[in-house]
Structures are given as C-alpha cells and as structure tokens.
Amino acid sequence: MPAADPAPPLPARLSASVLGAGAATFLTLGVLQAIYGPAFPAFEARYGVSTAQVGVIASAHFIGSAAAPLLAGLLLTRLGLGRVVTGASLLLAAGVVLVAMSPTWPLALLGALLGGLGLGGVSGALNAAYAVAGTQAINFVNAVFGVGSMVAPLLLTFASRQAGDVAGGLPLAFATIAGLVGLSLVAAAAWGLPRLAHTAGDTAGAVDRGTLALFAALMLVYVGVEVGTGAWAAKTLAASGHTHPALVVSAYWGGLTVARVLTSLLGERVAPGRLVLGAALLTLVASALTALTTLAPLAYALVGLACGPIFPTALAWAARHLPARMVPFLLVGGSAGGILMPWLLGLGFTRLGPGAVPGLLAGAAGVLLLLVVLTLRRVGTGARAG
C-alpha cells in the first residue's frame, strides 16, 4: 500500500482546562496501577495470605485492566466518550472501595478485578481521545500517569504511618484513591473532556486490517520492552555485582517520565512516525549497551529516556490512520506484551544466566525498530497537512 502521508489536519490543541481534567484522571490511574506491588506486605498482614498467594490480587487487577479496553472500544461509538468515562470511573471507584472495605480475601480480589476493569475502561477511552488530540496532549497525560505511579508508594507509606501499622494503612490508601476518582469526575464535569473527533480512518470505510495489525504488533513489542526492562533490570544488575540496582531502576522510570514531559512540550514539531522511529533506534542502542557491565546503569537510564515517547506518540500516530474507536484495541496488544516479555526474560535468566537479559531486550528492541519501519512504509509519518 502506498504511504498515506500527509494526513488531514487534526483538531486544534486542547485547552488548559481540558488538559487539567486529563491530568487529574491519569494521576489517579497511575496511583492505582502502581499501588498493588508495594501493598503486598499489607495484604499479607491484613488477610493472612502467603507470599505465594498475594500476587493474585495484582493479577486480578491486570486481567481487568487488559480486558476492559475491548469493551471501551465497542462502546465509544454507541455511548460517547463522556458516558464511557463516567461509567468506567464509577466501576473503578466501586472496586477500590470494595478493596478498602473488604473483610475477606476473595472480596478483595473481586474489588481488584472490578477496579482493573474500570481503570482499563477509562484508560482505553481517554487514550483514544487524547491520541486524536495529538502528540503533545497524549504525552502530557501519560507523563502525569507516570507521576501517579511514583506517588503510589508514598501514599501507602503515609497511610500506614497514619494507621499505625502496615495492614491498617490499606483502607486509608484505597479510600484516598476512591476520593481521587471522585475529584477526577468533578474535574471532567467542570472542565470537560477532549472531543473524540473523527480521524482519517473514520471516513475510509472498513478498517485497514493490515495497518491495525502493524500498530497492534508495535504496541505489543514496545510494552514488552518497557515492562520487561523495569521488571528485570534490578535482578540482572544485582547478579552482575552492581550495588544499587534499585536506584538504577528508579532512574529508568524517571527517564521514561521525563521524556514524556519533554515530548508534551516539543512533540508537535516532529511528525509522530519520525519521532517513534528515532526513539526506537535509540532504544535499540541503549538496550544493547546494558550488556556492558560498566555502562549498564547509565544505559538503563538511557533506555527509559528513549522509550518514554514511544507509547503515547505511537497512539497519536495510529489515530491519524485508524478510527479513534480502534485505539483501545491497541492497548490490549500492549497488555499482551506486558505479560509475555517478563515471562520470556525470566526463562532466559533462569536457563542462560543474567547475561541473556540484555541480549533478549536488544533483540526485542530490534523487532520494535523493524515494526516501526514497516509501519512507516505502509502509512507514512503522520505529518500534519499544510
């Protein structure tokens, strides 16, 4: 298929008030997404579950958040953005309250599943809307999501200190998240949400399945690289003799967030496809450098900076060539990558040793770069017209 560059112009940039509503919502989503891991000891103490069992609550949450974008994509054209976001937010709040108040472990698991479904629905719908709005807007809200992820452990620590023990902090932490959901709904009602405007893909008849498949594969591999790096960097560095692997992982996630902030400020100066191509190339180089023991800490931070713009910018790029309602389906592909890649890296680490992890990450980054090139050949860079 010949390149479709240049694409039709997109809607005007969002107002500060609408970006404020998005910031409130994505901050809440980031806090909830990141709180389960740090809360494992509190769940163990509160419900008397073992270390082997406690991880199930995070799995329940992620199953819900991975499945919900499919439903959000189907409902967007029928109910509209506002109704989908409101309904999913109420479901999210109900799940979080159930986790906060649950007297038993099975009910807490149900709450995590419901909260995950709500989070996935809100994320799927709003990522579609902000992707249509452009590179700067979607990088901004995803940067705020990253800030929320960094706030989550601090919230849990504060709640535990207020309650006087680890287990007692759970209700306060999750009740606070429920309150943030309420504030997000108030912000959306007061400031509004972005208009889910029609894109080029909405007027082109049937969905181009080849284009959809390429973007879905790109998201699958990218999220695999992002999550796999964050999950296995510390263990790989520790096995290689580095003394502060946790700090390196923090630098990795910090670099990811900083890159999205910078892209939210400057991203519209570069066509989405070109930006994703450059970031993917840098990700490949940085991932390969993690194999060098002396350079590994710096290389992991560089991987974070390189990866940062890819996820949101690729969604903005996809929204210029696919119907907006298809964007949530791409998130499902990303969730699959986040499940598969850490597992594959674990197999490599166990069977081949820690040195296999950088090689596998570099290989995945190479596949990512190839997918970006193939997508560029099919649809073009996504540059604005005129």
Side-chain angles (χ1 to χ4, degrees):
M1 178 179 289
D5 214 9
L10 292 179
R13 291 180 182 175
L14 297 176
S15 65
S17 61
V18 174
L19 285 175
T25 303
F26 276 80
L27 177 72
T28 305
L29 299 184
V31 173
L32 178 58
Q33 187 86 326
I35 203 167
Y36 281 100
F40 281 174
F43 283 118
E44 291 175 20
R46 182 176 176 85
Y47 296 106
V49 296
S50 68
T51 303
Q53 293 173 308
V54 73
V56 176
I57 196 163
S59 298
H61 168 81
F62 281 103
I63 287 170
S65 65
L70 289 170
L71 183 60
L74 294 172
L75 292 177
L76 276 176
T77 54
R78 299 182 180 182
L79 300 180
L81 179 67
R83 290 180 179 177
V84 171
V85 170
T86 299
S89 295
L90 293 175
L91 182 61
L92 190 164
V96 169
V97 169
L98 184 55
V99 173
M101 306 296 292
S102 173
T104 65
W105 180 239
L107 281 178
L109 294 178
L110 177 60
L113 177 64
L114 293 177
L117 284 168
L119 182 147
V122 175
S123 176
L126 284 184
N127 268 306
Y130 283 98
V132 172
T135 302
Q136 289 182 296
I138 193 167
N139 272 277
F140 172 76
V141 294
N142 275 277
V144 176
F145 181 97
V147 172
S149 298
M150 291 186 282
V151 166
L154 302 177
L155 170 62
L156 192 62
T157 300
F158 172 80
S160 297
R161 288 179 178 174
Q162 292 296 112
D165 60 75
V166 173
L170 271 178
L172 178 58
F174 279 84
T176 301
I177 296 173
L180 289 174
V181 176
L183 289 176
S184 299
L185 286 172
V186 170
W191 290 335
L193 293 172
R195 181 172 59 92
L196 194 58
H198 289 291
T199 64
D202 290 310
T203 58
V207 175
D208 183 341
R209 294 184 179 180
T211 299
L212 178 62
L214 275 173
F215 276 113
L218 191 159
M219 297 303 295
L220 185 152
V221 176
Y222 166 72
V223 175
V225 171
E226 178 190 311
V227 175
T229 302
W232 282 96
K235 193 167 183 64
T236 303
L237 287 166
S240 301
H242 290 280
T243 54
H244 300 291
L247 292 178
V248 176
V249 176
S250 295
Y252 165 73
W253 290 113
L256 201 93
T257 301
V258 167
R260 288 175 181 173
V261 170
L262 292 175
T263 308
S264 73
L265 297 174
L266 306 171
E268 292 296 343
R269 299 183 181 183
V270 183
R274 293 192 184 99
L275 182 54
V276 173
L277 177 64
L281 180 58
L282 184 58
T283 299
L284 173 58
V285 173
S287 297
L289 290 176
T290 62
L292 303 178
T293 303
T294 54
L295 291 179
L298 179 61
Y300 276 112
L302 185 60
V303 172
L305 284 168
C307 280
I310 296 177
F311 176 84
T313 307
L315 292 180
W317 185 20
R320 300 190 182 190
H321 303 285
L322 293 169
R325 69 180 187 278
M326 290 291 106
V327 171
F329 293 90
L330 302 181
L331 302 183
V332 178
S335 296
I339 294 168
L340 289 173
M341 191 62 183
W343 173 69
L344 290 173
L345 291 173
L347 287 179
F349 187 99
T350 302
R351 297 182 180 181
L352 302 174
V357 173
L360 289 171
L361 286 172
V367 173
L368 173 65
L369 180 61
L370 175 62
L371 287 168
V372 173
V373 171
L374 292 175
T375 307
L376 280 167
R377 292 183 63 183
R378 187 175 185 90
V379 303
T381 63
R384 290 182 184 275

